[in-house]
Amino acid sequence: MRLRTSFYQWITSVTILLAAVMDVSAQVNFDSLEISLLTCSPHQEVYSLYGHTAIRCHDKASGEDLVVNYGMFDFDQPYFVLRFVFGITDYSMGINTFDDFIRQYRYYRSSVTQQELNLTAHEKASIMQAIAENARPENLIYRYNYFYDNCTTRARDILVSHLDGEVRYLQSIDSTATFRSMVHDCTEGHPWARFGNDLLLGLQADRPTSREQQQFLPLHLQKEFSNAVIVSGDSTRQLIKRETIIEPGGHQIIEQEFPIRPSTCFWILLGITVVLLFLEFMLRKNMWGYDLLLMVCCGLAGIILTLMIFSQHPTVRLNLQILLFNPIPLFLAYPVISKSIRHQVHWWWNVWTFLIVAFLVLGMFFQQYAEGMNILALSLLIRSVSRAFLMKHIGQRKA
């Protein structure tokens, strides 16, 4: 959820609402208090493709109706995207009135499902006390992690960790599901958003996930809660008392991405590579400008993947796509092209051929690459392997 007011104005409003939360937790008749998990469907903004989770605290006796939301951020903060990629983004807990919260999702035509928890008065008091403590100014901000510590996992943890018993999930999970496959489910129909995710995600994103890890997605947590029970000694009760759709959603106008898929773009690039290679051999001419363009583009993309090694997101640190995208071509562009102009073969072409082959082979066993990356690798491989043969072909003409 995007914070549209200034950060400091928002902190002030939260501080005011904190008093209301503490007042509820101190004075409410907990028999009249309903605590629910809210699950919101995606809308057209890129950051919303995965949905959202919040906690509703509704005192029917007093009419106090608040929503606790761990997904507050200010997109206008300096270098927000860069900080997000490197895992140094701070998110905040926010408190809205229920009407304001619903109004935002009604505007986006997103559905909102409410799951009222089947809690005792003591459990409600414990949760409200934890929320009040969490809403203090010194506790509001947390270091966000997309897979391991996000708005959904925060809401889950504050609920299940304050129950008088153990939550057991009865629904079976897909033991083969990975972080990447679950992200793919959310980005269906958004190929370029998926491409960007897959370009940054590394080896760890392709490992099977546990039940707890799969609950990072709002819809997964909603399904898990639907079939969960609270076990305390010999007693067992359903975690969810009732589930209702409080906002049905509606038809959304989805903003169109670039109309051509990534794989199509790379197929076009492969076609250009083959045509240029044919022309080079027919005309006995080295089109070194194309090599320079490929080296610069791969090198610039490689800077991003190299910097990912230092990210706080563990799923992006080890990424085999760095074999294809790395900064080395930027440093070697001048000597490589200089030799090409003189119809000589630089040793880099042999190294790059090895890296590309390693990329293709290792990708068969260890990591799923972004869409079209294997096609791009084939283009680069054709270009790299052909350099020695082309220079020999041009040399025979001169002789």
Side-chain angles (χ1 to χ4, degrees):
M1 180 181 299
R2 183 172 180 177
L3 177 62
R4 299 189 182 278
T5 58
S6 76
F7 183 74
Y8 296 104
Q9 289 175 335
W10 173 71
I11 286 292
T12 301
S13 66
V14 167
T15 304
I16 294 172
L17 284 172
L18 168 60
V21 175
M22 296 184 71
D23 182 66
V24 170
S25 63
Q27 300 181 22
V28 71
N29 176 1
F30 288 104
D31 290 333
S32 68
L33 176 66
E34 294 180 351
I35 297 180
S36 307
L37 185 77
L38 301 179
T39 303
C40 311
S41 67
H43 53 80
Q44 62 266 29
E45 300 289 348
V46 173
Y47 63 80
S48 83
L49 292 179
Y50 314 97
H52 185 55
T53 299
I55 301 172
R56 181 185 184 185
C57 304
H58 182 201
D59 181 4
K60 288 191 171 181
S62 68
E64 198 78 55
D65 199 354
L66 301 176
V67 174
V68 180
N69 172 16
Y70 288 93
M72 302 296 289
F73 65 91
D74 186 356
F75 195 77
D76 296 324
Q77 286 183 337
Y79 310 110
F80 177 86
V81 175
L82 192 63
R83 291 172 60 86
F84 183 88
V85 168
F86 284 102
I88 53 177
T89 304
D90 289 330
Y91 271 44
S92 300
M93 172 189 176
I95 302 174
N96 305 81
T97 63
F98 176 74
D99 289 342
D100 285 343
F101 182 85
I102 289 297
R103 189 177 298 115
Q104 295 180 55
Y105 284 92
R106 184 176 298 129
Y107 171 80
Y108 287 119
R109 296 185 175 90
S110 295
S111 66
V112 179
T113 301
Q114 174 176 284
Q115 294 173 299
E116 183 187 344
L117 276 66
N118 185 19
L119 304 175
T120 65
H122 179 261
E123 290 169 335
K124 294 176 184 178
S126 297
I127 292 172
M128 291 302 296
Q129 183 178 0
I131 290 174
E133 181 65 26
N134 210 171
R136 294 183 180 277
E138 63 269 22
N139 299 330
L140 281 173
I141 300 173
Y142 70 98
R143 180 54 52 87
Y144 177 88
N145 184 290
Y146 174 67
F147 290 126
Y148 299 104
D149 194 358
N150 64 16
C151 59
T152 301
T153 62
R154 286 256 162 174
R156 174 201 64 193
D157 293 345
I158 204 167
L159 293 175
V160 302
S161 61
H162 293 90
L163 302 178
D164 299 327
E166 176 189 358
V167 175
R168 293 183 184 175
Y169 301 99
L170 305 182
Q171 178 174 306
S172 61
I173 65 169
D174 180 1
S175 59
T176 64
T178 65
F179 283 131
R180 193 188 304 274
S181 66
M182 288 186 288
V183 169
H184 280 189
D185 291 339
C186 297
T187 53
E188 188 69 36
H190 298 269
W192 284 101
R194 176 183 292 186
F195 176 82
N197 288 329
D198 284 340
L199 189 62
L200 296 180
L201 292 175
L203 281 169
Q204 291 194 31
D206 291 306
R207 294 177 178 176
T209 50
S210 65
R211 181 188 299 274
E212 184 179 44
Q213 289 173 330
Q214 292 182 18
Q215 291 174 355
F216 85 98
L217 283 175
L219 186 58
H220 279 252
L221 183 63
Q222 177 193 344
K223 290 180 179 179
E224 290 278 78
F225 269 30
S226 295
N227 297 279
V229 295
I230 303 173
V231 179
S232 180
D234 295 331
S235 67
T236 300
R237 56 193 156 102
Q238 295 293 321
L239 175 61
I240 301 302
K241 180 185 293 186
R242 65 178 62 89
E243 180 172 321
T244 56
I245 298 175
I246 55 178
E247 181 62 39
H251 177 69
Q252 297 182 0
I253 301 175
I254 306 299
E255 295 181 1
Q256 294 296 318
E257 297 180 343
F258 187 66
I260 304 177
R261 295 187 65 93
S263 56
T264 303
C265 292
F266 289 126
W267 278 116
I268 293 173
L269 181 67
L270 177 61
I272 293 173
T273 301
V274 172
V275 169
L276 288 181
L277 180 61
F278 175 77
L279 292 176
E280 283 181 320
F281 274 90
M282 290 294 295
L283 302 175
R284 294 179 181 266
K285 183 179 180 180
N286 177 23
M287 298 181 183
W288 54 265
Y290 187 60
D291 296 326
L292 178 61
L293 177 64
L294 293 177
M295 293 182 71
V296 170
C297 290
C298 290
L300 291 175
I303 293 176
I304 299 175
L305 293 192
T306 301
L307 291 175
M308 287 299 96
I309 296 173
F310 307 100
S311 172
Q312 293 188 23
H313 290 301
T315 50
V316 303
R317 292 175 188 162
L318 183 58
N319 189 342
L320 293 178
Q321 292 170 119
I322 201 171
L323 294 170
L324 210 61
F325 288 157
N326 60 76
I328 298 177
L330 290 178
F331 297 101
L332 294 179
Y334 178 77
V336 169
I337 299 305
S338 295
K339 279 206 166 189
S340 292
I341 292 174
R342 300 194 300 270
H343 306 301
Q344 298 174 357
V345 181
H346 193 277
W347 54 264
W348 166 247
W349 293 114
N350 293 328
V351 174
W352 211 2
T353 298
F354 173 79
L355 293 176
I356 297 169
V357 171
F359 168 86
L360 292 170
V361 173
L362 293 175
M364 297 178 184
F365 304 100
F366 300 109
Q367 181 178 333
Q368 182 177 347
Y369 297 143
E371 178 184 335
M373 288 293 287
N374 286 327
I375 305 171
L376 172 62
L378 182 58
S379 297
L380 297 176
L381 184 62
I382 291 173
R383 199 69 192 171
S384 183
V385 170
S386 66
R387 294 308 87 192
F389 296 102
L390 178 64
M391 299 310 170
K392 182 178 179 181
H393 187 62
I394 294 175
Q396 290 175 347
R397 177 191 178 191
K398 287 190 172 185

